[in-house]
C-alpha cells in the first residue's frame, strides 16, 4: 500500500471515530441531565409540590379557625362543650383529612426525598397524625362528651407547622431552582 492512500484513509477513520466519540459523550451527558431533570420534576410533582400545597392549606385553615374561634385548648383550662364539639368537627372534617393526605404523600413517595434519611419535620408530622387517630376514634364512641384537654389534643404535641413549613419551603425552592438551571442547560445544549 502506498502512503498517499493510507494516510488519507487513516485521517478519515480517525476523524470519524472522534466525531462518533464526541457525539456519544454529548448524548450521554444529555441523557444524564435529562434523567436528573426527570427526577427533579417527579420530586416536585409527586412529593414536595403536593406536600407544600397541602401544608399551606392546613396553615390557612388553621389561621381561619383561630381568627374566627380563637385558641381555646390549654392544659389547665378545659374548653366549653361548644368549643370541644367545634374542635372535634374541624379536626375530623378539615385538619385530619389534610394531615392524612400529607402522610400518605410522604409514605407513597419517600423514595423522592432529598435527604438520605427521613427529615425530622416529616417524622414529627407523621407522629402527630398517628397520635390523633385514637382520639378521633374515641370521639366516634356513643356518649363521648368530654371537654378535657387530654381527650382532644395529640400526645405528640402541636402540629409541627413552623418546622414543616421551613423544611418544605426550603426544599421546594431548592428544587425549583435546580429545575430552572437544568432546563436552561438543556436548552443551551440542544
Amino acid at each position: 500500500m502506498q502512503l498517499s492512500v493510507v494516510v488519507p484513509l487513516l485521517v478519515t477513520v480517525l476523524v470519524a471515530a472522534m466525531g462518533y466519540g464526541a457525539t456519544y459523550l454529548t448524548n450521554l451527558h444529555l441523557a444524564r441531565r435529562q434523567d436528573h431533570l426527570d427526577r427533579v420534576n417527579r420530586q416536585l410533582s409527586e412529593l414536595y409540590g403536593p406536600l407544600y400545597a397541602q401544608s399551606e392549606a392546613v396553615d390557612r385553615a388553621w389561621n381561619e379557625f383561630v381568627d374566627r374561634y380563637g385558641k381555646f385548648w390549654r392544659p389547665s383550662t378545659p374548653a366549653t362543650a361548644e368549643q370541644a364539639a367545634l374542635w372535634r368537627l374541624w379536626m375530623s372534617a378539615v385538619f385530619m383529612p389534610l394531615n392524612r393526605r400529607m402522610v400518605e404523600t410522604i409514605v407513597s413517595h419517600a423514595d423522592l426525598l432529598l435527604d438520605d434519611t427521613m427529615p425530622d419535620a416529616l417524622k414529627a408530622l407523621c407522629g402527630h397524625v398517628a397520635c390523633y387517630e385514637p382520639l378521633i376514634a374515641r370521639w366516634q364512641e356513643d356518649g363521648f362528651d368530654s371537654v378535657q384537654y387530654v381527650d382532644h389534643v395529640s400526645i405528640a404535641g402541636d402540629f409541627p407547622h413552623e418546622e414543616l413549613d421551613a423544611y418544605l419551603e426550603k426544599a421546594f425552592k431548592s428544587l425549583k431552582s435546580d429545575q430552572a438551571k437544568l432546563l436552561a442547560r438543556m436548552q443551551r445544549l440542544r
Side-chain angles (χ1 to χ4, degrees):
M1 282 220 170
Q2 288 185 319
L3 200 56
S4 62
V5 172
V6 172
V7 170
L9 185 59
L10 284 176
V11 169
T12 302
V13 169
L14 184 62
V15 168
M18 287 175 40
Y20 174 78
T23 301
Y24 173 78
L25 290 175
T26 299
N27 288 340
L28 183 63
H29 190 66
L30 277 172
R32 285 184 180 156
R33 280 205 175 140
Q34 185 62 51
D35 288 346
H36 188 192
L37 178 61
D38 290 346
R39 177 161 173 82
V40 167
N41 286 339
R42 283 192 62 222
Q43 287 174 305
L44 284 166
S45 68
E46 297 175 26
L47 181 63
Y48 289 98
L51 277 178
Y52 193 40
Q54 292 160 351
S55 179
E56 287 295 310
V58 169
D59 287 350
R60 288 184 184 225
W62 173 252
N63 289 333
E64 291 298 319
F65 178 86
V66 170
D67 287 348
R68 180 166 293 181
Y69 305 110
K71 291 183 182 179
F72 45 79
W73 286 116
R74 303 282 181 255
S76 59
T77 309
T80 66
E82 182 181 288
Q83 288 172 325
L86 184 66
W87 176 253
R88 291 190 298 269
L89 173 66
W90 274 74
M91 279 303 296
S92 299
V94 179
F95 299 120
M96 281 302 285
L98 287 167
N99 293 347
R100 286 178 183 128
R101 258 186 265 153
M102 285 194 292
V103 169
E104 178 58 32
T105 300
I106 293 165
V107 171
S108 297
H109 302 290
D111 61 310
L112 297 174
L113 286 169
L114 290 170
D115 311 86
D116 292 334
T117 60
M118 183 67 69
D120 288 340
L122 301 184
K123 285 192 243 180
L125 170 66
C126 292
H128 175 80
V129 173
C131 289
Y132 253 108
E133 295 297 351
L135 292 175
I136 291 178
R138 186 155 182 241
W139 297 344
Q140 306 306 314
E141 293 174 359
D142 286 337
F144 181 85
D145 64 355
S146 173
V147 295
Q148 296 302 310
Y149 177 83
V150 297
D151 293 327
H152 290 84
V153 180
S154 171
I155 61 173
D158 292 338
F159 183 85
H161 83 92
E162 288 179 15
E163 183 182 8
L164 185 63
D165 289 353
Y167 172 76
L168 291 175
E169 183 175 358
K170 180 181 176 189
F172 186 80
K173 286 180 177 179
S174 174
L175 285 167
K176 287 301 282 182
S177 175
D178 287 353
Q179 183 187 49
K181 289 174 190 170
L182 286 165
L183 285 169
R185 286 184 198 147
M186 296 289 284
Q187 292 295 4
R188 283 194 305 265
L189 291 174
R190 289 181 186 214

